[in-house]
Amino acid sequence: MAKIAYILLCHKDPAAIIRQAERLTAAGDYMAIHFDASASADAFAEIAKALKDNPNVAFARKRVRCGWGEWSLVQATLNAVETAVEAFPRATHFYMLSGDCMAIKSAEYIHQFLDDNDADFIESFDYFESDWIKTGWKEERLVYRHFVNERTHKKLFYALFKAQERLGLTRDIPADLQVMIGSQWWCLRRRTIEWLLAFIKKRRDIVRFFRTTWIPDETFFQTLVRHLVPESEIRGRTLTFLMFTDYGMPVTFYNDHYDLLLSQDYLFARKISAEAKDLRRRLGLLYSAQGAQFQISNEGPSLFKFLSGRGRVGRRFATRFWETESTLGRERELLIVVCKKWHVAKRVLERIRQVTNVPAIEYIFNEEDAPLPDLGGIQKSLGKRTRHRRALMRMLFDYFETDRLIVCMDPSNLDLLNDFASDRSVTRILEIECQFSDDYLIGHAMRVGLAGEHTSNETLTRLLPTIRNDMVHESDLIRDAQFENHNRLRETSSEADNIAALGQFLAIPDDKSREIATTDHLFAD
């Protein structure tokens, strides 16, 4: 059975560290603690006194002063790992934690998971080919030497960098290493740790290189594990659930995140708020639970992205600079069917084709595989279609040899609606307003990744009003835009009203509109 040596790097909140150590070692596991040498001596004394009689806890023999982006974080980790290897010979796995981490599964589940997965879990993506680094320095982290802390000695840090850049003082990356990058929160098997420690004793040149790289805790272990362990024995992921905001700050979890955390396909989570006392209490009890069952839905990242996105307002409607002089043509008429229920819009579109023979295409700005003719490559991706939307539409008018064309769009495509409505051509919009049952909204949440098969009812109950309000908000934005030719086909309207709306939108007589409006099950899910 797996026995874990937790490698804990921490610098504050001694009471929480003591509780964390007692909780994790109570299940028979171990912990090696490195408490930042820059932190309070009294705080460290409090921790050492409380845990001195716990045989499953050890302290790194040498404490170092840790600074963000420095080698010191790697050195602190190595000091704790070396202590753990010697103090806990029965440990089979070594798991990196911070003081803000807590288990989101039971010890029983975690041990079984590691028994069933004989592999190392560490994010390790190609440093130069991956997009793990979103902005800022990339090559500069490695080929220049970084001697001081960027946060505490900012002027000196950048002055040294500029001097090296000006003098061309770059260095080569070790030729036999493919540098990798990823999260510092890993779980490695004992054999891997022993190989790694032996390797760095033998290859001091590798240590010297990484000592003066910038943010080496994202590259050192990630690179060496890939160098030492067969690829088939590495899982390129972390077992610690963490998310970041658009500003690069870690997302913090609070009391109402309990069910969400348990449903994620991870063993630990970071960061748990120090103020979330009830969450910490419940997770603490969970760790020692026997026979606990977990329904994994894994919707956390997509749900966070959706909910945080609701807080952003404002869009850019300006014409793309390369389209300043372009137009679909004054004599042309673009008819846009807008509907959140795509299947309803497609049903309406098919009926319009049958009744009017006007060329109609479906959600070409929303569905990658929407059927389109070959237009020289511009149609190949959603990105190209959106960037060159007017050019795309002109080519479709030409392809169908028509001056009237119908296209479907999602209500979220307000920027496209604004753009086409500002064109010299005539733009008409038919908004199809449908009713949204709870079952439909749940299905929608699952289709877009906001929920999974095992998402709890409590999470869904909290989520549904947000999704419903989001759909209403999209419709309100379209209404607020006050488009000149805007008609509405409503599920709740009378047949006469819907016939009139279709007649105005398509400029067809009532008998033709009636054929479309009276189609059986027009709004059915």
Side-chain angles (χ1 to χ4, degrees):
M1 180 178 176
K3 293 186 76 68
I4 307 164
Y6 292 106
I7 308 301
L8 180 66
L9 265 57
C10 49
H11 65 281
K12 62 179 181 179
D13 201 351
I17 292 168
I18 293 166
R19 287 195 299 271
Q20 188 179 35
E22 290 175 340
R23 180 171 54 249
L24 294 180
T25 58
D29 292 313
Y30 312 103
M31 179 174 287
I33 300 174
H34 180 278
F35 193 75
D36 193 336
S38 301
S40 163
D42 290 341
F44 178 67
E46 181 182 346
I47 297 168
K49 180 180 178 180
L51 299 174
K52 66 182 177 61
D53 295 327
N54 188 329
N56 286 9
V57 174
F59 293 91
R61 290 193 186 88
K62 184 176 181 181
R63 294 165 57 210
V64 298
R65 294 178 179 272
C66 297
W68 184 88
E70 292 181 6
W71 169 258
S72 56
L73 287 174
V74 177
Q75 188 62 62
T77 305
L78 288 172
N79 290 353
V81 165
E82 289 170 351
T83 296
V85 167
E86 185 175 337
F88 310 125
R90 297 180 61 196
T92 61
H93 294 77
F94 296 75
Y95 196 122
M96 270 286 292
L97 290 177
S98 76
D100 296 319
C101 295
M102 287 196 72
I104 55 174
K105 300 290 186 293
S106 64
E108 181 181 64
Y109 181 99
I110 292 173
H111 292 143
Q112 189 62 53
F113 179 92
L114 294 177
D115 284 341
D116 293 342
N117 293 273
D118 184 19
D120 296 308
F121 289 84
I122 182 168
E123 280 189 351
S124 53
F125 306 103
D126 186 279
Y127 187 90
F128 293 100
E129 298 299 325
S130 73
D131 63 348
W132 203 85
I133 298 176
K134 303 296 184 185
T135 60
W137 283 356
K138 197 165 194 177
E139 185 179 29
E140 293 88 345
R141 290 193 189 188
L142 305 178
V143 300
Y144 294 103
R145 296 165 179 83
H146 305 280
F147 299 103
V148 299
N149 187 287
E150 189 265 350
R151 292 190 173 180
T152 57
H153 300 89
K154 188 177 289 288
K155 288 185 178 179
L156 180 58
F157 179 89
Y158 288 105
L160 290 171
F161 166 72
K162 289 294 185 183
Q164 293 179 78
E165 187 180 42
R166 187 169 58 254
L167 296 172
L169 299 178
T170 59
R171 59 178 172 177
D172 293 331
I173 297 169
D176 59 339
L177 284 187
Q178 179 185 6
V179 179
M180 311 296 285
I181 190 167
S183 164
Q184 65 269 49
W185 310 110
W186 41 254
C187 177
L188 302 176
R189 296 167 297 173
R190 185 181 193 92
R191 184 187 66 178
T192 301
I193 288 290
E194 291 174 344
W195 284 353
L196 189 147
L197 294 177
F199 180 80
I200 61 177
K201 286 181 180 178
K202 180 181 178 181
R203 293 289 304 273
R204 303 309 297 176
D205 59 312
I206 299 297
V207 175
R208 284 194 299 274
F209 171 77
F210 279 103
R211 273 185 181 276
T212 51
T213 59
W214 192 42
I215 321 182
D217 54 312
E218 294 179 350
T219 55
F220 181 76
F221 292 98
Q222 296 79 357
T223 298
L224 295 195
V225 169
R226 283 284 177 184
H227 183 77
L228 297 169
V229 179
E231 184 175 0
S232 61
E233 297 181 24
I234 298 173
R235 305 293 178 264
R237 55 162 295 195
T238 175
L239 294 176
T240 298
F241 180 56
L242 66 162
M243 297 188 296
F244 290 89
T245 68
D246 290 347
Y247 302 101
M249 300 299 292
V251 172
T252 300
F253 299 107
Y254 296 94
N255 289 334
D256 57 350
H257 289 131
Y258 180 79
D259 289 330
L260 173 71
L261 292 175
L262 265 59
S263 66
Q264 304 313 304
D265 187 19
Y266 295 87
L267 306 183
F268 281 75
R270 172 178 197 275
K271 292 181 160 185
I272 308 298
S273 170
E275 304 302 318
K277 296 189 181 342
D278 188 57
L279 176 60
R280 287 178 171 270
R281 179 189 62 80
R282 296 176 73 185
L283 291 177
L285 292 173
L286 174 70
Y287 189 72
S288 58
Q290 298 291 318
Q293 299 295 313
F294 299 91
Q295 300 295 326
I296 306 300
S297 55
N298 222 31
E299 76 277 17
S302 57
L303 183 57
F304 173 74
K305 182 178 179 182
F306 169 76
L307 293 175
S308 61
R310 299 315 94 195
R312 304 189 195 103
V313 295
R315 296 170 180 259
R316 294 185 177 89
F317 302 131
T319 305
R320 306 292 182 177
F321 70 89
W322 61 80
E323 294 181 335
T324 302
E325 300 302 324
S326 69
T327 178
L328 302 186
R330 291 182 184 275
E331 73 285 355
R332 285 174 167 168
E333 194 172 356
L334 179 63
L335 308 177
I336 305 176
V337 174
V338 179
C339 186
K340 199 67 182 179
K341 290 187 176 181
W342 295 3
H343 59 282
V344 173
K346 291 177 181 180
R347 194 178 297 136
V348 171
L349 210 65
E350 179 58 32
R351 196 72 181 106
I352 289 174
R353 285 194 194 101
Q354 296 169 359
V355 173
T356 68
N357 289 321
V358 176
I361 47 181
E362 297 175 354
Y363 286 86
I364 57 172
F365 297 107
N366 303 100
E367 291 185 304
E368 193 85 49
D369 58 353
L372 279 170
D374 185 353
L375 301 173
I378 196 174
Q379 82 288 346
K380 286 190 175 179
S381 70
L382 289 176
K384 282 187 175 182
R385 296 174 205 169
T386 303
R387 284 194 302 273
H388 307 293
R389 51 210 185 230
R390 292 196 186 186
L392 174 70
M393 298 312 297
R394 285 198 307 273
M395 295 172 79
L396 287 170
F397 274 109
D398 292 339
Y399 177 85
F400 288 109
E401 298 181 347
T402 183
D403 288 333
R404 299 188 85 207
L405 185 66
I406 307 173
V407 62
C408 286
M409 290 188 194
D410 189 88
S412 63
N413 296 139
L414 186 59
D415 54 341
L416 298 181
L417 295 176
N418 275 279
D419 193 27
F420 286 125
S422 66
D423 191 78
R424 296 189 185 104
S425 62
V426 175
T427 301
R428 299 184 186 277
I429 297 172
L430 177 68
E431 184 182 0
I432 303 178
E433 294 185 3
C434 302
Q435 298 294 103
F436 300 108
S437 66
D438 285 353
D439 287 343
Y440 174 81
L441 293 177
I442 290 171
H444 173 76
M446 291 182 175
R447 285 190 294 275
V448 300
L450 299 178
E453 183 179 349
H454 302 298
T455 298
S456 69
N457 289 332
E458 183 180 351
T459 298
L460 288 173
T461 300
R462 292 202 306 269
L463 181 60
L464 291 186
T466 304
I467 299 176
R468 189 183 301 278
N469 289 338
D470 189 61
M471 293 181 176
V472 171
H473 181 62
E474 288 177 346
S475 181
D476 285 343
L477 289 177
I478 293 173
R479 188 170 303 182
D480 291 343
Q482 296 183 335
F483 294 116
E484 184 177 354
N485 300 300
H486 182 193
N487 296 282
R488 294 181 185 86
L489 185 71
R490 293 187 173 97
E491 185 173 358
T492 57
S493 288
S494 66
E495 183 178 293
D497 287 343
N498 284 340
I499 290 171
L502 284 165
Q504 291 175 14
F505 173 65
L506 295 168
I508 56 176
D510 286 352
D511 60 329
K512 294 288 187 181
S513 298
R514 183 174 286 103
E515 289 185 51
I516 302 170
T518 57
T519 301
D520 290 339
H521 311 298
L522 193 64
F523 295 96
D525 287 337

